[in-house]
Amino acid sequence: MRTPSKSPAAAALIFSATLTLVAAVQAAVLPQKFDGASPLEWSQRLADSEMKRLGNSLEAGGSNPKARWDYSPGVLALSLVRLGTATGNDAEVQFGTRAVASHVNADGTIRGYKLEDYNIDNIPPGKVLLAALDRGGQNEAWTKAVQTLRAQMTTHPRTSEGGFWHKKRYPHQMWLDGLYMASPFLAQYAVRFHEPALFDDVAKQIVLMDRHSYDPATGLFWHAWDESHSQSWADPKTGHSPHFWSRAIGWYAMAIVDSLDYLPVSQPEMDSMVNILQRLADGAVRWQDPASGVWWQIPNLGTRPGNYLEASGSSMLVYALAKGVNQGYLPREKYEAAILKGYAGLLKTFVKPNPDGTIRLTSICAGAGLGYTMSNGRPRDGSFEYYMAEPVVDNDPKGTGPFILAGMEVERMLAKQTAPLAIRGWDSLPAVLANIKAPEFPARDFPITDFGAKPGADCSDAIKAAITACNQAGGGRVVVPAGEWLTGAVTLLSNVNLHVGKDATLRFIFDESKYPVVLTRWEGVECMSFSAFIYAHGQENIAVTGEGTLDGGADWDTWWSWNNKKDGVVRQKAARDKLNRMGEAGVPVAERVFGPGSFLRPNFIQPYQCKNILIEGVTIIRSPMWELHPVLSQNITVRGVKISSHGPNNDGCDPESCRDVLIEDTVFDTGDDCIAIKAGRNGDGRRVNVPSENFVIRKCVMKDGHGGVVLGSECTGGIRNIFVEDCEMDSPNLDRALRFKDNAVRGGILENVFMRNVKIGRVGEAVLTIDLLYEEGAKGAFQPIVRNVQLDHITSSGSPRVLYIRGFPGAIVDHIRISDSEFDGVTQTEVVQHAGTITFRNVTINPAKAAPSLNSVPSTK
């Protein structure tokens, strides 16, 4: 895989949450304060304190001659990198990176590291190097270093079931600690270097550890397990160590949530891993100290003399539980109170001020293990007395790193109003539908004729007056009665339903002066340009309904002439190219002003940054370009609409950077894609960085069009969780049924797409097209990813191919599955280039009649 030069999609897998943390907080109610500061501020305070205290002492050649490559400074370094990435503080990112990278020699060897030791504790610092590479670091030495760590785990000794030994000198033993050491690194490595088989190994380790360490009686996990049952500390019957240790359980919890950042949702063990996390969370909450909210060194022995409240395990558990909620693996309503109590307990119990204004984290167990002896001669026998005998220190990185991470995740939890849906397949469909509810309106009508509208005349002012009156009255319907009515741009306001009655036609005038310049998104780039024919900005509860017709009046003499490629000179090209350059250069949106003379055609219907939208029943014809184009909006229902428009770029429905969208019972007969889901273009898409997610498309008919359901090509912010079912797609002029369009300039992750019970007649190219060489192709620095695509019960009567898949080295096309489907009339060879796993199960492909090949057998059909 090539090494991208900046912000590749692989980096987004772990940083996608933290990159938008500050923006999320600013957009929501300010998060709860704890002792006068937000969780993120507490993380920042401890980070600043540790950077001041440590200086360069973690670096090779720094002030500490004992500095070494080790998991302990590695977890602090990683937390600083994540914090700096979230807040834009490059000093923290560089501090954390230097703490690890300084131990890597120019030839990629690691100072003091010996692969033959097979010490799993040597793996975690590699996560900091992977993060640096994902941010665009062009460093061959770092690449060689992480490949060395990967090589260690390739030959690392294992139990008979394939579980990693903790170290070569600890034979046959799996420790909870070791899961954090190796699993998230291997999962991240698998994404970066496109080694998906590693996902199976990562999942196996987590499941094996649960199998051999979980104690149903307490809901806790034993610190370690010896397969041979021969260690002095091991129970001779079970192999368990004698006690539970809060930090070991914390390591395991962090291993699960951090590994899940990278595993595809199609991973077979995904449900098992989430169930393990839920059981771990239940056990942790059960043994949370009710007085302090944190956890004891030996969690189930509470106030037994000698036991103490311990900071590192407590920080790890708060981090893992909060991240589990934020990622949708744990229900917020069940765990939020315990998380907040735990976080408040961290501050009250462990955080202390220093005379110089910095802070410190106290009561951290310096280290605990099993086997061999301590420096004072005490055996590490796993007894209660042993765990109490280990030194208790301040500011150990095993505590400070998780504390910083815990604050980030608690802040993120408080900034979110709802947790994301953890989508894993069709079983998630009811949860997606539960979030989509069409708005309702008061039973009040405001006929446009009451405001001076006359048939056949320009009714722009009358419609505006009716909408204003309806809004000021608290909402209702603005009614367009039977007849033909002319208008310019219509701007909807909250609680207004523009109702176009039966036998009514609302026809839009071709006159640039009738369409004011507003904030819009044009082919994925924000700018100031012509208002859509029907536009709303920042409104709630809006609708366009009725049995009437919306006529855009576009033809080759009006709007379509602005993009008539047959003219030789395309009139929109100069402005289009200029806008794209502005987007890449980061020109402020307010300065990207187009409009009259620019020839950038308006969309038909565009709610912009709106909530609760309904478009129902109307017929839409002759659109300038994209017909339905909600942007940065949420809770959208499109139902029973008929779209027939065959001009250039006449996409039917293009939700962009939208969430919770239902499109049903709609007919598409278009000059471009029927449904094209989008999420911003190139640099401007990365600036806005909002995905499209949680779509249901059902019972629709797709006739003419470039594609039935399409993801892209404006997809930089990512597209995920798309459900398509019970649709019909059939036309000699329909090119593809399901299409993905992306490239290395767009980037973005397109994932979790599920299609079932779709009947396809004829398509011109393929049933499924994944084209990652679209337009600019591989000539870019941003990795395109398409993964977890599932087609079930699909039939087609005629297509050149079933699959047309074009990837390139460094792009990812993976986990494509087709089952219980039949494809007839296939005429050409399948095209599959640079793809990962593609699975057919119970699939029939019947070629069109052709001359038989040698040794062929007759078709059974």
Side-chain angles (χ1 to χ4, degrees):
M1 178 178 289
R2 63 195 172 88
T3 302
S5 62
K6 56 180 178 177
S7 302
L13 294 171
I14 191 153
F15 292 119
S16 60
T18 56
L19 280 170
T20 56
L21 178 59
V22 175
V25 172
Q26 291 172 343
V29 177
L30 288 176
Q32 180 177 336
K33 298 285 186 178
F34 295 81
D35 198 14
S38 72
L40 188 63
E41 289 169 337
W42 280 112
S43 292
Q44 191 72 62
R45 288 183 187 182
L46 188 60
D48 291 343
S49 299
E50 284 298 273
M51 290 167 63
K52 180 179 180 179
R53 182 180 71 86
L54 292 166
N56 65 0
S57 63
L58 300 182
E59 300 174 28
S63 60
N64 177 14
K66 295 183 179 180
R68 63 193 179 100
W69 176 276
D70 185 55
Y71 76 97
S72 185
V75 69
L76 173 60
L78 185 63
S79 73
L80 291 172
V81 168
R82 291 188 185 174
L83 178 64
T85 302
T87 61
N89 189 333
D90 191 59
E92 292 166 348
V93 174
Q94 294 307 316
F95 188 101
T97 302
R98 285 195 307 271
V100 169
S102 63
H103 296 273
V104 178
N105 298 314
D107 62 357
T109 57
I110 302 170
R111 298 180 187 184
Y113 168 84
K114 296 179 181 179
L115 185 151
E116 59 271 17
D117 287 346
Y118 288 109
N119 182 348
I120 209 165
D121 287 343
N122 286 331
I123 303 302
K127 290 181 274 191
V128 176
L129 297 183
L130 285 173
L133 292 170
D134 283 343
R135 291 195 309 276
Q138 298 281 2
N139 193 305
E140 292 184 8
W142 299 350
T143 300
K144 289 179 181 178
V146 297
Q147 289 172 340
T148 296
L149 300 176
R150 168 68 183 102
Q152 173 187 322
M153 300 315 299
T154 301
T155 55
H156 197 90
R158 297 173 181 250
T159 67
S160 62
E161 296 172 297
F164 293 132
W165 290 5
H166 193 66
K167 298 178 184 178
K168 182 179 179 180
R169 68 181 184 134
Y170 295 144
H172 312 293
Q173 301 166 44
M174 293 184 73
W175 295 13
L176 291 175
D177 321 26
L179 273 295
Y180 176 81
M181 306 306 157
S183 294
F185 168 83
L186 292 175
Q188 187 176 2
Y189 186 98
V191 173
R192 171 128 201 113
F193 293 97
H194 195 32
E195 196 176 338
L198 273 177
F199 295 139
D200 296 333
D201 211 1
V202 168
K204 176 194 287 186
Q205 305 305 316
I206 291 170
V207 171
L208 284 175
M209 195 74 249
D210 169 69
R211 181 182 303 166
H212 296 297
S213 181
Y214 179 64
D215 177 48
T218 61
L220 298 173
F221 292 79
W222 304 102
H223 184 177
W225 170 71
D226 170 27
E227 182 181 37
S228 69
H229 299 193
S230 64
Q231 298 300 315
S232 61
W233 49 261
D235 184 294
K237 293 183 179 180
T238 66
H240 294 150
S241 57
H243 282 290
F244 311 104
W245 181 34
S246 61
R247 184 157 82 214
I249 297 169
W251 283 127
Y252 188 42
M254 293 206 304
I256 297 171
V257 295
D258 285 1
S259 296
L260 286 171
D261 282 334
Y262 301 97
L263 267 62
V265 297
S266 57
Q267 182 66 32
E269 297 85 2
M270 180 67 71
D271 287 339
S272 295
M273 293 173 66
V274 172
N275 288 336
I276 293 168
L277 178 64
Q278 291 171 345
R279 283 193 280 107
L280 187 154
D282 289 342
V285 172
R286 175 181 173 185
W287 296 104
Q288 186 177 23
D289 178 54
S292 67
V294 294
W295 285 265
W296 296 87
Q297 168 82 331
I298 305 297
N300 62 318
L301 297 183
T303 57
R304 175 173 170 174
N307 204 5
Y308 62 94
L309 298 171
E310 201 278 332
S312 65
S314 297
S315 296
M316 291 175 181
L317 289 171
V318 171
Y319 164 69
L321 267 60
K323 186 171 183 178
V325 167
N326 291 334
Q327 298 299 90
Y329 304 124
L330 300 176
R332 180 171 183 156
E333 61 276 9
K334 183 175 182 180
Y335 297 103
E336 182 177 34
I339 293 166
L340 295 178
K341 184 175 183 179
Y343 188 74
L346 294 179
L347 297 173
K348 183 177 180 180
T349 309
F350 304 125
V351 175
K352 308 298 180 186
N354 294 321
D356 63 355
T358 61
I359 60 173
R360 66 186 186 275
L361 189 68
T362 64
S363 195
I364 304 172
C365 176
L370 296 163
Y372 297 89
T373 59
M374 300 171 62
S375 58
N376 62 8
R378 176 184 287 276
R380 302 200 309 174
D381 58 6
S383 65
F384 177 84
E385 291 73 20
Y386 159 68
Y387 283 106
M388 297 309 116
E390 286 284 8
V392 180
V393 300
D394 293 353
N395 294 328
D396 188 287
K398 296 183 287 293
T400 54
F403 177 88
I404 291 169
L405 295 173
M408 294 172 64
E409 289 298 330
V410 172
E411 178 107 350
R412 190 171 149 230
M413 184 182 76
L414 293 169
K416 284 175 170 281
Q417 294 181 349
T418 58
L421 295 173
I423 301 297
R424 289 188 288 279
W426 283 104
D427 289 345
S428 302
L429 178 61
V432 174
L433 286 169
N435 287 335
I436 307 172
K437 296 178 175 63
E440 298 180 354
F441 300 87
R444 285 191 290 263
D445 283 355
F446 297 79
I448 62 172
T449 50
D450 288 357
F451 297 85
K454 304 292 184 183
D458 183 354
C459 303
S460 302
D461 292 341
I463 294 172
K464 180 179 179 180
I467 289 172
T468 300
C470 181
N471 167 260
Q472 292 177 348
R477 298 195 312 174
V478 170
V479 178
V480 180
E484 183 175 87
W485 314 85
L486 306 182
T487 186
V490 172
T491 301
L492 290 180
L493 300 176
S494 293
N495 304 312
V496 173
N497 174 3
L498 178 63
H499 184 80
V500 185
K502 186 177 181 180
D503 298 323
T505 296
L506 189 61
R507 185 160 65 83
F508 291 83
I509 300 166
F510 178 61
D511 181 348
E512 293 182 35
S513 67
K514 296 292 183 181
Y515 303 91
V517 171
V518 299
L519 174 64
T520 184
R521 216 177 194 181
W522 201 90
E523 290 193 346
V525 182
E526 286 195 314
C527 65
M528 308 300 295
S529 191
F530 288 123
S531 167
F533 286 178
I534 300 175
Y535 177 79
H537 184 202
Q539 305 300 303
E540 296 187 19
N541 306 322
I542 57 174
V544 179
T545 66
E547 299 178 63
T549 298
L550 300 172
D551 181 358
D555 57 31
W556 292 108
D557 294 322
T558 58
W559 302 106
W560 296 348
S561 67
W562 294 4
N563 191 29
N564 189 349
K565 294 180 174 63
K566 296 179 181 179
D567 284 348
V569 177
V570 178
R571 299 166 78 185
Q572 74 173 24
K573 184 178 186 306
R576 182 181 189 268
D577 292 347
K578 180 180 178 181
L579 174 59
N580 288 334
R581 289 193 300 269
M582 287 178 159
E584 291 305 293
V587 173
V589 175
E591 298 176 17
R592 306 175 195 175
V593 180
F594 295 86
S598 68
F599 303 110
L600 297 184
R601 291 159 293 152
N603 300 147
F604 208 124
I605 300 178
Q606 186 185 71
Y608 206 96
Q609 296 175 327
C610 295
K611 292 181 181 179
N612 310 331
I613 301 158
L614 173 64
I615 304 172
E616 183 175 36
V618 294
T619 296
I620 299 175
I621 62 174
R622 300 199 297 173
S623 176
M625 53 177 297
W626 300 352
E627 279 96 64
L628 308 181
H629 183 215
V631 180
L632 296 164
S633 295
Q634 183 177 346
N635 188 27
I636 302 164
T637 299
V638 177
R639 178 184 296 132
V641 177
K642 300 177 182 65
I643 297 175
S644 180
S645 190
H646 286 75
N649 313 113
N650 270 208
D651 295 10
C653 185
D654 290 23
E656 185 162 13
S657 297
C658 289
R659 180 180 184 183
D660 303 333
V661 179
L662 172 62
I663 306 171
E664 63 181 355
D665 297 310
T666 292
V667 177
F668 297 92
D669 187 4
T670 64
D672 209 312
D673 297 324
C674 295
I675 297 174
I677 305 167
K678 300 180 180 294
R681 181 187 184 102
N682 302 356
D684 203 56
R686 280 178 280 278
R687 177 186 63 83
V688 178
N689 194 32
V690 175
S692 278
E693 59 185 349
N694 307 340
F695 281 55
V696 178
I697 301 165
R698 63 187 183 187
K699 299 179 182 177
C700 292
V701 175
M702 287 78 169
K703 297 181 178 180
D704 289 4
H706 291 181
V709 175
V710 178
L711 283 71
S713 66
E714 297 84 1
C715 57
T716 302
I719 302 171
R720 57 185 177 236
N721 311 339
I722 311 299
F723 296 85
V724 183
E725 64 177 345
D726 301 326
C727 293
E728 295 183 14
M729 304 182 184
D730 185 13
S731 170
N733 299 314
L734 181 65
D735 296 335
R736 307 113 180 144
L738 178 61
R739 184 186 190 189
F740 297 78
K741 298 187 290 185
D742 199 357
N743 59 46
V745 175
R746 303 277 194 278
I749 302 172
L750 315 182
E751 62 180 348
N752 310 342
V753 180
F754 311 100
M755 176 182 280
R756 69 182 178 187
N757 302 330
V758 173
K759 182 179 180 181
I760 302 166
R762 302 198 64 83
V763 292
E765 180 180 85
V767 173
L768 172 62
T769 292
I770 302 175
D771 186 1
L772 303 188
L773 292 171
Y774 185 78
E775 291 187 347
E776 294 96 333
K779 297 179 181 179
F782 302 94
Q783 182 184 48
I785 297 175
V786 175
R787 64 187 181 197
N788 195 32
V789 179
Q790 180 175 334
L791 281 71
D792 303 306
H793 299 284
I794 310 297
T795 62
S796 70
S797 62
S799 64
R801 305 172 181 86
V802 177
L803 304 178
Y804 185 86
I805 298 176
R806 295 199 308 164
F808 58 85
I812 292 179
V813 178
D814 210 357
H815 292 277
I816 313 300
R817 305 179 304 282
I818 304 179
S819 68
D820 301 311
S821 298
E822 184 168 357
F823 307 100
D824 292 334
V826 175
T827 61
Q828 298 184 34
T829 304
E830 304 298 320
V831 174
V832 178
Q833 300 172 358
H834 298 288
T837 303
I838 300 175
T839 303
F840 281 19
R841 182 177 62 81
N842 193 25
V843 171
T844 299
I845 300 176
N846 292 309
K849 291 184 178 181
S853 62
L854 292 176
N855 302 320
S856 65
V857 295
S859 171
T860 58
K861 190 171 176 65

